[in-house]
Amino acid sequence: MTARLRDKTALVTGSTSNIGRAIAVAFAAEGAHVVVSGRSAERGAEVVAGIRAAGGRADFVAADLDGSAAASTALADEAARVLGGRIDVLVNNAGIYPGSVTPATDEATFDRVYAVNVKAPYFLTAVVAPRMADQGGGAIINLGSWIARLGVPVGALYSSTKGAMETLTRAWASEFGPSGVRVNAISPGVVRESVPGESGPRPGDSMMIGTPAGSFGAPEAIAHAAVYLAADESAFTHGAVIDVDGGRTGVAVIAA
C-alpha cells in the first residue's frame, strides 16, 4: 500500500464485479474508505470482506440505479452518510450491455440502457459534484468505451451511451472544474476477468487481435488508471478521456 488515496472517501457504482470491483479494491489498497455499490448484497458483501481482509476500509450500499433522480440521490445520500459526511471521489461505472443489432432493439430496452448508462450517472453527478465543490473539491471518473469512437456492427445502443458519457465528461469538466471538481474518463478496450479452467475465446476477444496488446485486458489495468485520476497527482488533468484499451483505438490494427 502506497496510500495515494489516504484520507479520501470514494463511491464506486457497479462495483460488485469486474472493472468496478477492481477499482474499489485498488482504491482501498491505496488508503481510501470505499463504498461498494450494486444490486447484489451477496456479491457486495464478498467484495467488502475481501477489502477488509486485506486491511482496507469498505462498506456496501445497495442501489438499483434505474435512471431516476430519486434513486441516484438516495445512493449519494446514503454513501455520504456511511463515509462520514463526504464523498471525495465518484466513479460512474455501473452500466449494462445489450448486444442486439439496431433493428432487434425494442423501445423498452433502449430506455433501460439509457436510464442505467446515462441518466443514472447524470443525476448522481448532479447531486455529488456541487457537494464536492462545497467541501473544497473532488474527483469524478466516468467509464467510457473504445466502441464510442470506433464503430462495430453490434452494439450501437451501448456505444452511443458511452459516447454520451465521454461528452458529459468534457462538459462537466468545464462546468465543475472551476469549483475544484475534476472530471475525467477512462475508455477501456475489451476487458474481462480470466476464469480458472476456462478454454477458448469469449465473444469480443477477437476485437483485440492485431492490437499492440494482442489480447483482452484485465480489470486491474483500468483500476490503475482510476487510481491516478482519483489521486492528487492528476491535479492538472481535466476533461481527459484516457484510453486503456491495449492500443485498440490509437494504433492501426494489423490482421494476422
Side-chain angles (χ1 to χ4, degrees):
M1 182 184 294
T2 57
R4 292 158 74 190
L5 302 180
R6 178 183 298 166
D7 298 327
K8 293 186 183 294
T9 61
L11 166 60
V12 184
T13 69
S15 49
T16 60
S17 64
N18 205 13
I19 290 173
R21 176 172 61 194
I23 292 173
V25 169
F27 279 10
E30 292 291 347
H33 181 182
V34 181
V35 160
V36 174
S37 182
R39 290 177 294 178
S40 172
E42 180 179 1
R43 291 194 302 177
E46 291 175 358
V47 177
V48 168
I51 289 173
R52 290 177 177 176
R57 294 179 297 162
D59 293 278
F60 175 71
V61 174
D64 183 3
L65 294 175
D66 59 6
S68 67
S72 292
T73 300
L75 174 58
D77 289 345
E78 181 61 12
R81 186 192 68 78
V82 169
L83 294 170
R86 62 185 288 143
I87 298 171
D88 296 309
V89 183
L90 167 64
V91 181
N92 285 313
N93 168 74
I96 54 177
Y97 180 89
S100 297
V101 294
T102 300
T105 302
D106 58 34
E107 186 175 6
T109 299
F110 184 99
D111 290 344
R112 172 65 174 161
V113 174
Y114 261 84
V116 175
N117 293 9
V118 182
K119 285 184 67 180
Y122 186 96
F123 286 113
L124 188 55
T125 299
V127 174
V128 173
R131 294 179 183 179
M132 287 179 170
D134 289 344
Q135 70 195 23
I140 296 174
I141 304 167
N142 298 319
L143 269 292
S145 173
W146 67 276
I147 64 171
R149 280 167 287 142
L150 191 62
V152 297
V154 178
L157 177 58
Y158 175 80
S159 65
S160 70
T161 67
K162 290 305 180 179
M165 289 309 299
E166 293 189 7
T167 296
L168 284 170
T169 295
R170 293 182 283 271
W172 286 338
S174 177
E175 183 175 357
F176 299 117
S179 300
V181 180
R182 294 183 298 104
V183 185
N184 295 286
I186 302 169
S187 177
V190 176
V191 172
R192 66 178 178 88
E193 298 170 302
S194 296
V195 178
E198 180 183 55
S199 61
R202 292 189 201 173
D205 288 0
S206 62
M207 296 289 188
M208 297 302 292
I209 296 173
T211 64
S215 182
F216 63 87
E220 289 74 19
I222 312 305
H224 293 320
V227 169
Y228 163 73
L229 290 176
D232 293 341
E233 62 208 57
S234 62
F236 200 53
T237 305
H238 292 260
V241 179
I242 298 178
D243 294 330
V244 187
D245 63 2
R248 189 62 180 81
T249 56
V251 179
V253 174
I254 307 300

